[in-house]
Amino acid sequence: VSLRKRQEIQELSRKRTCIMLLNHKNMQKTTETGAGINDVTRISKGATIKGDLVSSSDIRVDGTIDGKVLSSGKIVVGEQAELSGSLYCSNLDLWGKMDGDIYVKDTLCIKSTAVVNGNIHVNKLQVEMGAQINGTCKMMTEQEYEDLVSKVSMKRTPVKSDKSKEA
């Protein structure tokens, strides 16, 4: 093999190694910072929940929920989704319909197809043209949100199973 061919092969090998290292670094960053597919609670179109939904992970709603929704992460409400009750989360992207009060620790993005019938309590608010809001809006700090959520969480009582009925 000629000297020139060896140099070309070595150069290609170096480039391939560099790309592999970059991809490996990117994959590590992705897995460290991004939520995995199993880390998102999904309520699919056609599904209905009557009662409270509590999740420490992100939530994606395309179905119907009648009750309180509490998440430590982000909630995304799709265009076909309908929620009634109250909603508590760190961040919210709302495309669907919400009947009830919304409490967001950081940022609420109300998209053009969204309809809100209730009061909004939020730190930062973004509203697209065409969105409908029927209620009041109150800006609140992250500390006010934390205080409110701790009160709401304390009111929740764990479900007790009746061992006598299982026998």
Side-chain angles (χ1 to χ4, degrees), residues 22-85:
L22 285 173
N23 285 341
H24 180 68
K25 287 180 183 177
N26 288 341
M27 287 187 333
Q28 284 179 331
K29 284 182 183 177
T30 302
T31 55
E32 289 172 7
T33 58
I37 192 154
N38 292 327
D39 294 337
V40 177
T41 302
R42 297 180 186 277
I43 311 303
S44 300
K45 183 178 177 181
T48 301
I49 293 180
K50 293 188 180 195
D52 296 348
L53 172 62
V54 179
S55 177
S56 59
S57 62
D58 295 346
I59 300 173
R60 168 71 192 211
V61 181
D62 290 303
T64 303
I65 299 177
D66 184 6
K68 187 185 311 175
V69 180
L70 179 61
S71 172
S72 304
K74 179 177 185 172
I75 297 178
V76 176
V77 178
E79 285 186 45
Q80 303 300 313
E82 294 185 16
L83 283 75
S84 59

